[in-house]
Amino acid sequence: MEQSYEVTGQAGRILVVDDDPTVAEVVAGYLDRAGYTVDRADDGPAALTRAAAHWPDLVVLDLMLPGMDGLEVCRRMRGHGPVPVIMLTARGDEDDRILGLEVGADDYVTKPFSPRELVLRVESVLRRARPEVGTRVLSAAGLTVDPAARRATRNGTELALTLREFDLLAFFLRNQGRAYGREDLMREVWGWDFGDLSTVTVHVRRLRGKVEDDPARPRLIQTVWGVGYRFEPDGGEED
């Protein structure tokens, strides 16, 4: 079942999944006032049922759910189609954040959080999820990225990329041969001037796993020690 990133309605449909009714009510209230259509679920099975009935444009998903946790919910939803996910975690533990990013969360917010900040994160993720009209197709090293169609292929085979992985690959193809620090990538790809730089590290690792012949010895997305990363279409040696 292939789903679209295209936003429905005026602002989009958001599925809020949290077993804390107070948190869910506050988040849903802020999103509703921001113009979004909001669905709510208090556990994993209910979230999957809601998503099947009305596929969301974005999911705000609590990591610590009873029974089926947020990681499993994210995996199952992604098995049906691409959807941006903002993960909520009650702990500031880096392992939790990394786990969320590893399963493809596009962003995460640590509780307690500002509902206004969450709305801004939602707006940022949805803005970047919309197709880019009038942009050219990018190609290099057997990779092709069509920003308007939000479609990427490797040697003719379509790649299953998350929102951020797609944006990261498109950025690398637009800026071949130039090294970028993680701060630069966070600003240019995520649109953030601050944040946990491990977000970039995890996404680069995930993207390498999908575009490199040997992700353990990457030749396209290279590490530039002391700087960051560089895309080399000729697959030269790392610095």
Side-chain angles (χ1 to χ4, degrees), residues 102-121:
E102 287 285 10
V103 299
D106 300 287
D107 197 358
Y108 65 87
V109 177
T110 303
K111 297 179 182 179
F113 57 86
S114 161
R116 290 186 181 89
E117 178 190 355
L118 179 59
V119 171
L120 290 175
R121 295 287 185 103

Side-chain angles (χ1 to χ4, degrees), residues 132 138 145 147 165-175:
E132 300 177 38
L138 309 166
V145 171
E165 290 166 359
F166 184 95
D167 289 344
L168 186 59
L169 180 58
F171 181 82
F172 279 136
L173 289 180
R174 288 191 183 104
N175 299 277

Side-chain angles (χ1 to χ4, degrees), residues 6-210:
E6 185 177 353
V7 176
T8 60
Q10 287 190 332
R13 179 181 292 274
I14 312 296
L15 175 59
V16 176
V17 188
D18 198 306
D19 63 324
D20 184 328
T22 301
V23 171
E25 183 175 353
V26 170
V27 169
Y30 271 81
L31 290 169
D32 179 70
R33 287 191 291 275
Y36 296 97
T37 300
V38 182
D39 291 328
R40 287 171 52 178
D42 57 10
D43 60 28
L48 297 175
T49 299
R50 287 277 189 180
H54 299 285
W55 190 257
D57 297 297
L58 181 143
V59 182
V60 176
L61 179 60
D62 188 21
L63 176 66
M64 302 300 291
L65 293 171
M68 184 190 303
D69 65 18
L71 299 177
E72 182 62 22
V73 175
C74 186
R75 289 190 189 99
R76 294 196 185 191
M77 290 191 68
R78 285 275 167 77
H80 290 287
V83 60
V85 173
I86 296 179
M87 196 77 77
L88 303 180
T89 172
R91 299 195 297 270
D93 185 8
E94 183 178 6
D95 289 343
D96 285 344
R97 299 197 299 270
I98 296 299
L99 277 173
L101 295 171
E102 287 285 10
V103 299
D106 300 287
D107 197 358
Y108 65 87
V109 177
T110 303
K111 297 179 182 179
F113 57 86
S114 161
R116 290 186 181 89
E117 178 190 355
L118 179 59
V119 171
L120 290 175
R121 295 287 185 103
V122 167
E123 291 172 349
S124 173
V125 171
L126 283 177
R127 185 168 56 249
R128 288 181 172 270
R130 295 186 179 101
E132 300 177 38
V133 179
T135 52
R136 64 185 178 88
V137 174
L138 309 166
S139 298
L143 296 168
T144 300
V145 171
D146 184 343
R150 298 292 300 184
R151 184 172 184 266
T153 61
R154 178 173 184 254
N155 298 324
T157 300
E158 188 156 3
L159 294 170
L161 301 179
T162 66
L163 167 66
R164 298 299 188 187
E165 290 166 359
F166 184 95
D167 289 344
L168 186 59
L169 180 58
F171 181 82
F172 279 136
L173 289 180
R174 288 191 183 104
N175 299 277
Q176 300 173 32
R178 179 177 173 184
Y180 287 89
R182 292 188 298 170
E183 297 90 344
D184 299 323
L185 292 171
M186 178 157 284
R187 183 174 57 255
E188 297 293 336
V189 178
W190 277 258
W192 305 341
D193 290 321
F194 60 90
D196 184 354
L197 296 180
S198 65
T199 300
V200 177
T201 305
V202 170
H203 279 79
V204 168
R205 182 165 66 245
R206 285 178 54 87
L207 184 57
R208 280 172 167 168
K210 297 178 181 181

